[in-house]
Amino acid sequence: MTNDQIKHAVLQIIAVIAPDEDLSHVKSDVALRDQLELDSMDFLDIVMELRKRYGVEVPEGDYGQLASLDSCVIYLAPKLKDK
Amino acid sequence: MAQTHYDVIIIGAGMSGMAAGIRLAYFDKSVCVLERHYAAGGLNSFYALDGHQFDVGLHAMTNYVRPGTRGAPLTKIFRQLRLTPEDFGLAPQHHSEVRFPGKTLRFNNDFRCFVQDVVDNFPAQADHFVRLVKHIQEYDELDLEAPPRSGRAVVSSFLSDPLLTDMIFCPLMIYGNAQERDMEFGQFVVMFKSIFCEGLGRPREGVRRIITALRRKLREVGGTVRMKCGVQALNAEGTRITSVTLDTGEILTANTILSSAGYVETMRLCGTDHATLAPMEGRLSFVEIISILDQPMKHLGHDATIIFYNTGKEFHYETPKNLVDARSGVICCPDNFLFDKPLPESMIRLTCLANFDGWNALDEPAYLRAKTEWLPKIQQEVLHFIPDFRHHVVYTDFFTPRTIQKWTGHLNGAVYGAPEKLKTGKTPIENLFICGTDQGFLGIVGAMLSGISMANLHVLKRAHAR
Ligand SMILES: Cc1cc2nc3c(=O)[nH]c(=O)nc-3n(C[C@H](O)[C@H](O)[C@H](O)COP(=O)(O)OP(=O)(O)OC[C@H]3O[C@@H](n4cnc5c(N)ncnc54)[C@H](O)[C@@H]3O)c2cc1C
């Protein structure tokens, strides 16, 4: 996956988890939590969806790496490079 | 051959069991929900009698918020179960009342109206009440490790008028308290937020709409539900359940078991002796009278959705000495929600505290006679608060704590289960967890949240940690 594809994949996951959120203006360099109403249940779901869809494992200690779209790209790029 | 091993077996296709099943199946666990009854829904199922449709429980769903309200429990449920507000189709209440001798408090789905009403009715308590509300709003009721505290003690440390204290406790206890007389403070906060701060709603189709949505989703995500499939025993070796025996004698196995049958009920399935468990049993139960009317109550000039009433000097929330305690209770008019079209049949529901042992001891003729005696007594009591509707009744069903035990398996027909809750869901057995009523989130919304959180905590997060 390219970096843009990764961002797109994460946004698609958020759209499924939180269909009531407007995702059209999400900034890549700002924490998702500061722009959207996402709680810890929702973050668990982002991780679970990544595993369900792409077989990617994110251990609990690494949840912080998914804070913003940019940090998602940095963290997920190596895991998704062949997907 | 039918599958005999699952990642997770869930006991009970009530609200909590189905919600847990959806979460787990959605994330690719193999899940089997086992239900003894032929209908789903448990304490909030539905039935038909002589062509009339009844809901077992549903007066109102608590936690009503407008679709899309951020951070609210109902929004969490939609997100977690991948459902939409249209799936439940909730219409808001008109307004409800708490009526005590000489005082009435009104509330609707706008919390500010309730605060204003308390201030107007109890001006001397205004500041105290506002401070109590602040304390409630800042309290983290979802902290599963918080030590239990007496709700009455905490609330009385803010309010100095016992009448106001009783009037606030009355609806919250009747709609969600398993303890006699007092109420754990965290539970008080849960119920205060869900009834007063958020509000009440109902699908026009009643609880069927909710159950249909949950069953459809569970099927879509690949969960198995087996009706008329009671669990007779959970077979333990050391501290693990190794297999599950059904009423039919069939044996299934699973890595994890989630049970919504109640804590005592579940531990009995494991063979724990009755004497050890007896002190933990829940006792609070109700009678419910559902009457079909030839016209809606608002045609008789009554537009309140729900009235929580008390006729005595003090409010007593405890097992009555007689079969029924009609001094307090609930009057619910399902027609008085703001539906887009009228209900197919108008009705009124009356609920009062009742004594399980009393009803259970009666032989069949005496049981029927007791119902015939109590029906007019309860009606007489509620006529203090609503117009006389008795000439408009076309059909009545009356059920008792005995009926509730028979159809849901909850001992003593205890609607809210055991007084001590297991917030973490953990049992002495390492792969057996409790969800629903005895985990401690009560009501329809509470039960769904309980199923979701226990599935997350004990299965999805763990699988992940490995
Ligand atoms: C009269 C009444 C009025 C109510 N009014 C309201 C209301 O207006 N609003 C509201 O929000 N809530 C209301 N409630 C409460 C609400 O219905 C419950 O809190 C909620 O449904 C509990 O769900 P649960 O999943 O925890 O348990 P349950 O619904 O009890 O589910 C447990 C299930 O397990 C099954 N089971 C038990 N033992 C076994 C076994 N050994 N094998 C297989 N299956 C088994 C039972 O048959 C049952 O289906 C009311 C309840 C009653 C009884």
Side-chain angles (χ1 to χ4, degrees):
Chain A
M1 275 194 192
T2 66
N3 289 357
D4 276 347
Q5 285 171 327
I6 293 176
K7 279 186 201 170
H8 184 67
V10 173
L11 281 174
Q12 264 189 330
I13 287 175
I14 297 175
V16 167
I17 295 169
D20 40 358
E21 294 283 342
D22 175 8
L23 302 179
S24 54
H25 302 292
V26 174
K27 296 203 187 74
S28 292
D29 55 345
V30 179
L32 290 164
R33 263 197 183 178
D34 295 342
Q35 312 177 69
L36 304 169
E37 179 86 21
L38 296 177
D39 63 13
S40 56
M41 275 181 162
D42 299 320
F43 271 88
L44 172 67
D45 267 24
I46 296 179
V47 170
M48 300 284 309
E49 288 277 359
L50 283 167
R51 179 164 63 174
K52 182 176 159 94
R53 294 170 180 224
Y54 306 107
V56 169
E57 293 290 341
V58 181
E60 197 163 353
D62 290 353
Y63 286 12
Q65 313 274 0
L66 304 178
S68 71
L69 286 179
D70 282 347
S71 69
C72 283
V73 168
I74 295 170
Y75 179 74
L76 294 172
K79 297 180 184 265
L80 286 169
K81 72 175 186 300
D82 302 325
K83 311 252 168 170
Chain B
M1 226 190 83
Q3 184 175 353
T4 60
H5 180 79
Y6 294 88
D7 292 328
V8 185
I9 281 179
I10 297 173
I11 305 178
M15 302 294 170
S16 63
M18 288 193 286
I22 292 170
R23 284 294 292 169
L24 297 171
Y26 179 84
F27 287 116
D28 305 320
K29 301 283 165 211
S30 62
V31 174
C32 184
V33 182
L34 300 170
E35 170 58 56
R36 181 169 272 148
H37 193 17
Y38 54 74
L43 285 164
N44 235 306
S45 191
F46 54 85
Y47 58 100
L49 281 176
D50 296 319
H52 302 288
Q53 307 287 326
F54 294 96
D55 284 352
V56 174
L58 186 65
H59 293 185
M61 283 193 32
T62 57
N63 302 86
Y64 175 87
V65 288
R66 272 197 295 275
T69 303
R70 296 170 145 215
L74 200 56
T75 309
K76 280 192 194 175
I77 289 176
F78 290 132
R79 284 187 179 187
Q80 290 274 303
L81 300 182
R82 309 291 192 263
L83 291 170
T84 66
E86 293 79 67
D87 288 316
F88 287 1
L90 296 177
Q93 65 169 328
H94 186 276
H95 79 280
S96 294
E97 297 172 1
V98 185
R99 306 223 1 209
F100 275 50
K103 276 277 187 236
T104 298
L105 289 177
R106 287 169 61 105
F107 64 96
N108 54 22
N109 292 354
D110 178 354
F111 181 54
R112 288 166 305 182
C113 297
F114 179 62
V115 175
Q116 190 58 50
D117 209 54
V118 172
V119 169
D120 291 346
N121 275 287
F122 293 90
Q125 296 293 312
D127 293 345
H128 305 306
F129 181 67
V130 169
R131 281 201 302 119
L132 172 65
V133 168
K134 188 159 177 287
H135 184 65
I136 290 171
Q137 283 173 334
E138 286 167 0
Y139 190 84
D140 176 14
E141 71 278 16
L142 298 180
D143 176 3
L144 300 182
E145 313 283 344
R149 286 199 294 163
S150 154
R152 282 212 177 258
V154 176
V155 174
S156 306
S157 74
F158 285 89
L159 305 178
S160 55
D161 187 336
L163 176 60
L164 177 58
T165 304
D166 265 357
M167 287 183 83
I168 293 174
F169 269 102
C170 168
L172 310 187
M173 285 181 151
I174 297 180
Y175 267 15
N177 185 25
Q179 230 181 311
E180 294 185 274
R181 292 172 280 273
D182 204 346
M183 182 174 193
E184 196 278 307
F185 184 67
Q187 180 61 16
F188 170 85
V189 171
V190 169
M191 295 309 297
F192 189 96
K193 289 182 179 171
S194 65
I195 292 178
F196 293 136
C197 301
E198 296 180 334
L200 305 176
R202 183 186 189 276
R204 188 174 160 277
E205 303 76 5
V207 80
R208 282 172 182 74
R209 173 112 174 213
I210 310 292
I211 293 171
T212 307
L214 295 175
R215 287 212 62 180
R216 197 201 60 234
K217 193 66 178 192
L218 188 51
R219 200 168 42 238
E220 269 172 28
V221 297
T224 302
V225 183
R226 293 181 60 181
M227 308 305 287
K228 290 202 268 185
C229 220
V231 172
Q232 192 175 72
L234 296 171
N235 310 310
E237 266 174 39
T239 57
R240 281 188 76 77
I241 302 291
T242 48
S243 66
V244 176
T245 307
L246 305 186
D247 291 339
T248 55
E250 190 184 340
I251 292 188
L252 302 177
T253 55
N255 302 344
T256 306
I257 319 276
L258 270 179
S259 172
S260 66
Y263 179 67
V264 173
E265 293 82 346
T266 302
M267 295 318 289
R268 279 191 183 183
L269 294 175
C270 301
T272 310
D273 69 278
H274 292 200
T276 320
L277 294 167
M280 289 178 247
E281 287 176 21
R283 302 229 64 92
L284 284 161
S285 193
F286 298 88
V287 287
E288 180 102 9
I289 298 170
I290 314 176
S291 296
I292 307 283
L293 304 175
D294 63 9
Q295 54 181 282
M297 286 299 287
K298 54 177 172 277
H299 291 183
L300 308 181
H302 177 73
D303 62 1
T305 310
I306 294 173
I307 293 179
F308 300 90
Y309 76 86
N310 180 52
T311 55
K313 210 164 167 301
E314 286 160 355
F315 170 58
H316 293 276
Y317 188 75
E318 60 203 25
T319 307
K321 290 183 194 65
N322 298 328
L323 291 178
V324 176
D325 182 353
R327 290 174 301 171
S328 65
V330 186
I331 306 163
C332 169
C333 299
D335 296 84
N336 290 342
F337 287 87
L338 304 176
F339 300 123
D340 50 4
K341 39 181 190 194
L343 292 180
E345 282 197 303
S346 292
M347 55 184 134
I348 185 166
R349 311 182 58 120
L350 310 175
T351 309
C352 294
L353 283 162
N355 180 316
F356 173 83
D357 291 333
W359 286 99
N360 199 41
L362 302 175
D363 62 17
E364 208 51 30
Y367 181 75
L368 295 177
R369 227 178 311 119
K371 283 191 183 185
T372 325
E373 274 165 32
W374 277 98
L375 176 68
K377 285 194 205 169
I378 295 169
Q379 286 178 334
Q380 198 64 51
E381 203 72 40
V382 304
L383 289 181
H384 292 112
F385 308 100
I386 58 173
D388 195 345
F389 60 96
R390 289 172 298 181
H391 300 301
H392 298 281
V393 173
V394 295
Y395 189 91
T396 292
D397 186 37
F398 185 137
F399 64 81
T400 73
R402 192 164 105 178
T403 329
I404 298 173
Q405 175 172 285
K406 178 176 168 204
W407 292 108
T408 68
H410 285 291
L411 292 168
N412 310 317
V415 168
Y416 301 122
E420 302 259 344
K421 298 305 183 192
L422 285 103
K423 291 279 176 72
T424 64
K426 288 185 190 156
T427 70
I429 294 173
E430 65 190 32
N431 62 340
L432 172 65
F433 303 96
I434 300 297
C435 69
T437 308
D438 279 349
Q439 184 267 325
F441 297 164
L442 300 173
I444 298 173
V445 168
M448 287 191 277
L449 273 180
S450 169
I452 290 169
S453 24
M454 293 301 109
N456 287 350
L457 184 62
H458 298 303
V459 184
L460 297 178
K461 276 197 181 167
R462 286 188 186 212
H464 204 73
R466 273 207 300 273

